[in-house]
Amino acid sequence: MDIFGRLTIESLPFYSAIAASGAAVTVLGALSVAAVITYFGAWRLVVFQWLSSVDHKKIGIMYIMLALVMLVRGFVDAAMMRSQQAIALNSDGYLPPGHFDQIFSSHGTIMIFFMAMPFLSGLINLIMPQQIGSRDVAFPFMNAVSLWLSTAGAALVLISLVIGKFSTAGWTGYPPYSGLEFTPGVGVDYWIWAVLISGFGSTMTGINFLVTIIKCRAPGMTMFRMPLFTWTVFITSVLIIFAFPALTVACAMLALDRTLGMHFFTNGMGGNMMNYINLFWLWGHPEVYILILPAFGVFSEVVAVFSQKRLFGYISLVLATMAIGLLSFTVWLHHFFTMGSSARVNSFFGTMTTIIAVPTGVKVFDWLLTMYRGRIVFKPPLLFTIGFLVTFVIGGLSGVLLALPPIDYLMHNTTFLIAHFHNMIIPGVLFGYLAGYMFWFPKAFGFKLNEKWGTRAFWCWIVGFYVAFMPLYVLGLLGMPRRMEHYEIAAWQPHLIVAAFGAFIILLGMICLGVQLWVSIRDRKEALDLTGDPWNGRSLEWATSSPAAPYNFAVLPKVECRDAWWDMKQRGVAYQRPEKYEDIVMPKNTFAGAVIGAAGFAFGFAMIWWIWWLALLSLAVIGAAIIVRASNDDDEFVMPASEVKAIEDARFAQLAKAPKNAMEGEPGFAGQPAPEPAA
Amino acid sequence: MSSAATMSVSTRDTERYEEKDFGFWLYLMSDAVIFACLFATYLVMVGNAAGGPVPKDVFSLNRAAAETALLLLSSTTFGIAAVSLWAGDRSKVLLWLAITFLLGAGFIALEFSEFSGMIAKGAGPDRSGFLSAFFTLVGTHGLHVSVGLVWILVMIGQVFAKGLTAPVASRLMRLGLFWHFLDIIWVVIFSVVYLPGLL
Ligand code: HEM
Ligand SMILES: [Cu+2]
């Protein structure tokens, strides 16, 4: 059976009912997607309009679909852990230890790498080029490669549920436990290759966004006229480019240890496991800012638009973002104060960690002052923003506590830490992305999301969050370590039961999100966005139609100040019809991106299962795809002016039908100039 | 297509090449961080011989010097290819690319013999932390050089088939960046790995 490496029939999950049902759900999920596509007869559309697309808006939408699917999967894991811990006093509960360990590992891995990262790339792809008045990202094809490599990584995590097992080493994969000696089998390898392959995609995404922002801005869009979301993307891209290599190196070395018997992180033979931990967090801390800065960007846009007021302290927000970006490389050791550094080193990193709270505090005040005396419209994106502001401050305070090494010695690896980082990452990152999702959904699809269900989702999420995670602070103070499969201390159980109830409320929030999507699609005719500017917006993404034309802007906008679109509406030059249209050069669709993604998946699978011929074959396919693509000088086409004119004429016809200003009916509407549809 | 449109398309092309060059620089920065992590790891682990061979036992100054000479020379020959590219001399470009390829291949051959000799002597990457770090650092560089060799072949093919067109010239310039970058990395390897190990 050599040709299958270490893959045998025993790798299928028939050893346990729970594992088998997880596998069944995964397989059925995949089949039902295929069935739905077949039912709508949409294979052609999916394959030729989406799989091969290099349009940043479609790529953005696909990223977000991936993120939402993975959010569901990550939440199922969380719910299983919460219910296990609620009942596992003096008993094994329903999950055996090995299985529980897989679940916290996959939950963390999925949420960080395959929910948050794709969500972030998706929102940025969808919006950033439009915000800077560009027709696309700098490298549309590379963008597709990034998407499909991320998808390949996610597919590896998903398939680990069906073939073999996932890692039990947590989302951090610390050696020596994650080494071959203590964890043989394929679990850690699934983790490594999923992370490595998607990591390559993320690095390319970072390069792509940075070049786009620096090179592709519309005339007049100087750096200090860029919307704040774009600014945060700029800093996040820099962080991606400089931080992800450390993760790549750490994971590659772990893979070498496990596959070729090297001794980077082994217990003996000259291994040095602290080196892994340093490399991992050298990426890991910047990573939390990679995730949260764009969310800060979303909040900045949302808070200004729904306060109908210019963003307060634009410059200070930009500078704070830069400061956070810089400082984020100077704090990584706070993740392992307890692992043997001297008091002096610990105090340095403790101090830096406290300092990084300062620019974040600046931002909070800027957002508050933007709302101050604003005419606030309480739409779901703003609700998420307010929920974030209140909740995030609590998480920040517990973070400043943990930054003090003596306190961290007490709290390290307790559920206090779990409470702290969920307290940052759910309101900070997830609420930010959900706010962005509801804010920009009309831009992607041309109709608004249902606001009633959005509001319900918000209330379930925020209440559920508090009920699920505040008890974890208490449990941490009671000394409960993280990652516990069962326990003997009766005093913990009531808190864990409350936390499980909180997870149930979050489940209702998830359901509300699903219902919202369903109801909105069903009733889309009633919530059409005909102007492309449903919220009376301020930045250039609202100047395009909803959904935007393939080229975004028929004529590149001329920017004269910050809040460019708002300014154009003020000056009465919004919605102007140009005298004539020009040909537009566009990138051609290509399957090379999807092929590279598929081969990347096959390569990862082969490396996990030691199927060497398949590894070589898939590498060869990737190499061939790159060479063929790189030798092709005919990767663009010209969309003739007549076609552009046809699209734009339809848009202006639609504008003429639109109500004057979509926000006119809102309380507090400040009488901004209404879009003047041309005849 | 009107002449105005042609104009705007071709300035667009130069912009495109600038974007690609800039993106490639960023990739090189990112790759430099990878090497920085590998260097740091090597320095942390160079003393972890685990009772096995130490640097003095396995490195050869002669071979390292020969490898250095080959790679430095290949950077020079690539430079000549670039000069010929500006002169628009297609056959010279082909010639100097081919010479660069041969020099690079010679480097890889030497490195291959070094690695296989060490493995045969029981000083393979699974012997100790030091050797793991050594093989991974130098091997990663070697892997880059090998990719560069394939790239040179592809570009020879493109120059042959397409001539010195603007896209081909732009790719050659990026290949040059890559090749010189690998040279710099090698100089650091030579001074951080081989020299201190032997002196
Ligand atoms: C949706 C609600 C969520 C719930 C109910 C939840 C619950 C949990 C639970 C119970 C654990 C295990 C705690 C322990 O080890 O004792 C955990 C760990 C973790 N969660 Fe969440 N979580 C949620 C959302 C998220 C999100 C949005 C992220 C990141 C974007 C995230 C990232 C993590 C990470 C990184 C770990 C650590 C995994 C490990 O120990 O290796 N979680 N979560
Ligand atoms: Cu940190």
Side-chain angles (χ1 to χ4, degrees), chain A residues 148-356:
Chain A
W148 293 114
L149 287 181
S150 300
T151 312
L156 283 175
V157 176
L158 288 181
I159 205 157
S160 75
L161 210 53
V162 183
I163 307 175
K165 294 181 179 176
F166 193 64
S167 171
T168 53
W171 83 282
T172 47
Y174 277 5
Y177 175 75
S178 59
L180 203 54
E181 187 184 354
F182 300 105
T183 315
V186 294
V188 177
D189 299 288
Y190 264 119
W191 178 80
I192 290 174
W193 289 102
V195 167
L196 268 181
I197 290 173
S198 68
F200 279 116
S202 302
T203 310
M204 289 193 275
T205 304
I207 294 175
N208 212 338
F209 291 155
L210 193 56
V211 178
T212 308
I213 294 179
I214 290 190
K215 293 278 186 192
C216 307
R217 301 193 307 275
M221 177 65 82
T222 59
M223 292 299 269
F224 279 91
R225 287 179 187 166
M226 295 193 314
L228 218 91
F229 179 67
T230 299
W231 259 113
T232 56
V233 176
F234 178 82
I235 304 293
T236 280
S237 308
V238 176
L239 295 187
I240 288 179
I241 293 169
F242 286 100
F244 263 82
L247 177 70
T248 304
V249 169
C251 285
M253 286 174 175
L254 192 59
L256 288 171
D257 273 7
R258 292 181 59 87
T259 320
L260 297 182
M262 293 200 192
H263 295 288
F264 281 107
F265 311 126
T266 51
N267 223 345
M269 301 297 279
N272 180 340
M273 42 215 123
M274 278 318 288
N275 191 33
Y276 177 91
I277 296 177
N278 272 295
L279 285 171
F280 184 86
W281 288 110
L282 207 49
W283 160 82
H285 194 85
E287 165 71 4
V288 306
Y289 287 98
I290 291 170
L291 295 180
I292 211 165
L293 286 178
F296 287 173
V298 176
F299 292 132
S300 305
E301 304 293 326
V302 164
V303 85
V305 165
F306 292 101
S307 304
Q308 311 205 31
K309 191 162 161 262
R310 164 168 248 214
L311 187 61
F312 182 91
Y314 173 91
I315 299 275
S316 67
L317 280 165
V318 172
L319 293 181
T321 308
M322 289 178 175
I324 292 174
L326 211 66
L327 289 172
S328 72
F329 281 101
T330 62
V331 299
W332 79 91
L333 194 130
H334 65 206
H335 295 273
F336 46 98
F337 280 142
T338 58
M339 298 192 193
S341 312
S342 68
R344 227 178 273 206
V345 172
N346 274 355
S347 16
F348 172 78
F349 283 93
T351 312
M352 294 314 289
T353 308
T354 323
I355 291 176
I356 210 170

Side-chain angles (χ1 to χ4, degrees), chain A residues 75 78 81-82 104 107-108 111 170-171 421-422 469 482-483:
Chain A
F75 179 77
M81 287 188 287
R82 278 278 138 271
F104 66 68
H107 166 76
M111 285 299 197
W171 83 282
F421 75 71
H422 284 86
F469 287 99
R482 70 194 286 194
R483 299 175 176 170

